[in-house]
Amino acid sequence: MSESGILQNIFFPARSKTCGSSPTEEKQKEEAMLVERVCAGEKQAFDEFYRKLSPLVHGIILAKVPRDEVDDIVQEVFISAFQKLHTLRDKNAVSPWIASIARNRAVEFYRRHKPTVELSENLSHNGNAKNEALEILEAIRELPETYRETLILRLVEGLTGPEIAEQTGLKHESVRVNLHRGMKILRKKLGIEV
Amino acid sequence: MKKDYLWDKTGNDAEIERLENALQEFRSKNTTPPEIPSKTFAFDRTALPNPNPRRFFKLAWTGFAAAAGLLIFSIGIFQVLNFEKQETAKTQPEQTSNEKSTENLPIAVEEKPSDEKSSEAIDETKPKVVKAKSYPQRNRAKRFVKNKKRVSVEPSANKTIAGTVKPVKKDLPDDETLILTKEEKQAYDQLMKALAITSSSLKTVKDKAQGIEE
């Protein structure tokens, strides 16, 4: 146990139930250790790093960029993140850091490419399900940016509200508000009655 | 505890579940990380991030400012002490008696027997013999006084040298050491210390500057 943990046990015994560290802090420590291993050059660590953060990056890119380009941009984001990982000062905050890289890359995409009208795939022979999915996705992408990203991470990538808050660096209350307000507007757009 | 399926997937919400199922096909499926060349893994660990030049200049300026401040302070102390010495020198009563004046200033005396003086013409242009006596320390300070007294020597046939001769100011030879008062010595020590501190801090700043540039 660290010195701070010992002091916490003495002065705040009720608080320190589990060796003085909350689950969030433990997760952050694990993330920091993973980052250290990636910086040290472990390929396995990088694979783990990718698997852990790819839903976040994918969701952020999907909210902004045409679907056909999403996978390529996700790869670019991870390569760029790997190259700059040694410059990261706070290794506990790697998730918000990579989220910001993803957002910047999405903006850069629109600077490099002219905006095009996205045609929906397989319009002739696909079922109603895919049409519906596309319609829902387009409806979400028309929402304001704050709600758009949060809803895609929740509904498409399957992350929970607390997970979204941890990985994006937002407060829990902010994420909760974004989810509920975004959902309300989405229901109106889709004509779903509550 | 209130269940909020949208927030943490507790409870049930059919509508949200339907949306999740519909959008599942757009979920991230890539489990394969991007191919990164093996060379990229061996990056230079010794490569430090670019030093912030502003931070260096800030440090350097702080050091210079501190050194300059110390220097000015020490010069100020020295000036104050010097001024006090001058003041004490001015306020000291002029010594009219020959004994005191001979004690205070170096004496240029012609040491000749009294009967010989009357017969010989005194040539004041010739250098006169000086025999240094043990002067009291306080009176030596008068050498540094700006308003230096010039006193002519008037030899007398019948009187002793100590009684009648008025001293002539003469510069000290170079090899003779200065005797300082206690206060002067303290001031001198303080000045030396201040200068040493200033020079060491300047050296530190210089080393840091050279270290960062390298």
Side-chain angles (χ1 to χ4, degrees):
Chain A
M1 201 190 294
S2 64
E3 281 183 14
S4 58
I6 293 166
L7 284 169
Q8 201 170 12
N9 277 336
I10 294 165
F11 293 105
F12 305 104
R15 234 190 256 178
S16 56
K17 285 177 185 173
T18 56
C19 296
S21 59
S22 63
T24 316
E25 285 175 6
E26 281 178 9
K27 254 189 183 178
Q28 284 178 348
K29 280 179 192 173
E30 280 175 19
E31 241 179 39
M33 280 180 63
L34 182 63
V35 169
E36 292 282 348
R37 285 167 56 206
V38 172
C39 288
E42 278 187 43
K43 195 170 187 314
Q44 233 176 1
F46 180 73
D47 293 351
E48 193 183 327
F49 177 78
Y50 177 82
R51 272 192 292 276
K52 204 167 181 176
L53 295 173
S54 63
L56 171 70
V57 173
H58 187 271
I60 290 170
I61 302 291
L62 184 65
K64 295 172 169 46
V65 162
R67 283 178 295 111
D68 294 338
E69 308 288 342
V70 171
D71 290 338
D72 292 339
I73 295 175
V74 167
Q75 304 276 304
E76 283 175 23
V77 166
F78 274 96
I79 291 170
S80 171
F82 176 77
Q83 286 169 348
K84 294 176 192 170
L85 201 56
H86 64 282
T87 64
L88 178 62
R89 287 180 193 175
D90 182 9
K91 293 190 171 34
N92 292 329
V94 67
S95 304
W97 176 74
I98 203 169
S100 66
I101 294 177
R103 289 187 198 106
N104 292 338
R105 192 51 67 103
V107 169
E108 207 180 299
F109 173 84
Y110 278 109
R111 278 193 205 141
R112 282 190 274 131
H113 297 82
K114 289 179 186 175
T116 54
V117 176
E118 190 179 341
L119 295 172
S120 55
E121 297 172 355
N122 300 323
L123 282 173
S124 57
H125 55 80
N126 68 345
N128 285 333
K130 194 142 188 183
N131 273 344
E132 190 187 356
L134 283 166
E135 194 184 322
I136 296 167
L137 183 65
E138 288 309 312
I140 294 173
R141 287 165 70 157
E142 285 170 11
L143 293 174
E145 197 170 335
T146 41
Y147 306 144
R148 188 195 317 164
E149 192 177 290
T150 317
L151 273 179
I152 283 186
L153 288 172
R154 173 65 185 87
L155 297 175
V156 177
E157 301 297 336
L159 300 174
T160 61
E163 285 172 349
I164 294 168
E166 273 172 35
Q167 293 192 12
T168 56
L170 295 170
K171 289 181 185 176
H172 284 219
E173 293 77 22
S174 305
V175 174
R176 193 192 278 259
V177 162
N178 289 343
L179 281 174
H180 284 281
R181 285 185 185 169
M183 199 64 214
K184 195 176 174 182
I185 300 171
L186 182 65
R187 282 191 174 120
K188 268 187 190 172
K189 273 185 178 289
L190 297 174
I192 301 165
E193 288 180 7
V194 181
Chain B
M1 192 172 137
K2 196 179 176 182
K3 290 173 184 174
D4 188 350
Y5 184 78
L6 184 62
W7 170 245
D8 54 7
K9 295 188 180 178
T10 53
N12 285 318
D13 191 319
E15 194 54 50
I16 295 173
E17 284 177 13
R18 189 179 72 82
L19 290 171
E20 281 181 323
N21 292 333
L23 293 168
Q24 209 171 3
E25 65 177 284
F26 300 122
R27 189 174 288 189
S28 166
K29 292 172 189 97
N30 278 346
T31 53
T32 321
E35 288 295 326
I36 292 175
S38 57
K39 281 183 190 175
T40 317
F41 278 93
F43 67 84
D44 186 15
R45 283 191 213 186
T46 58
L48 294 170
N50 290 332
N52 189 354
R54 280 186 197 173
R55 195 180 168 193
F56 159 68
F57 281 117
K58 218 175 178 180
L59 276 170
W61 279 115
T62 313
F64 279 126
L70 272 168
L71 193 64
I72 290 165
F73 180 67
S74 55
I75 289 169
I77 288 174
F78 182 71
Q79 289 290 338
V80 165
L81 287 168
N82 214 8
F83 181 72
E84 280 177 3
K85 269 187 255 167
Q86 288 176 20
E87 287 291 313
T88 52
K90 281 178 189 175
T91 53
Q92 271 184 5
E94 289 183 18
Q95 304 203 2
T96 55
S97 66
N98 292 331
E99 284 187 2
K100 286 182 184 177
S101 59
T102 54
E103 285 176 6
N104 294 338
L105 293 172
I107 300 167
V109 174
E110 196 176 13
E111 291 183 357
K112 286 184 181 175
S114 57
D115 54 345
E116 290 181 4
K117 283 181 187 177
S118 58
S119 57
E120 293 180 8
I122 295 160
D123 188 2
E124 289 186 355
T125 58
K126 284 185 184 174
K128 295 177 183 174
V129 175
V130 172
K131 194 172 184 181
K133 290 186 180 179
S134 58
Y135 302 107
Q137 288 185 4
R138 198 187 70 179
N139 297 324
R140 281 217 170 192
K142 286 208 171 180
R143 277 186 226 111
F144 300 103
V145 173
K146 281 185 182 177
N147 300 327
K148 295 172 187 174
K149 290 183 184 176
R150 292 191 177 189
V151 184
S152 59
V153 177
E154 294 175 1
S156 171
N158 297 322
K159 290 183 182 176
T160 60
I161 296 160
T164 56
V165 175
K166 289 182 182 177
V168 170
K169 180 87 171 67
K170 189 168 183 177
D171 292 329
L172 284 175
D174 290 334
D175 58 350
E176 201 166 332
T177 56
L178 297 173
I179 299 170
L180 302 173
T181 62
K182 195 178 176 184
E183 290 88 9
E184 286 172 347
K185 199 181 177 189
Q186 277 178 358
Y188 179 76
D189 289 341
Q190 281 176 0
L191 177 64
M192 285 297 116
K193 275 181 193 171
L195 287 171
I197 292 165
T198 308
S199 65
S200 67
S201 60
L202 278 171
K203 196 187 172 192
T204 309
V205 169
K206 186 187 170 187
D207 290 343
K208 275 189 182 176
Q210 283 177 357
I212 291 168
E213 280 172 5
E214 282 170 10

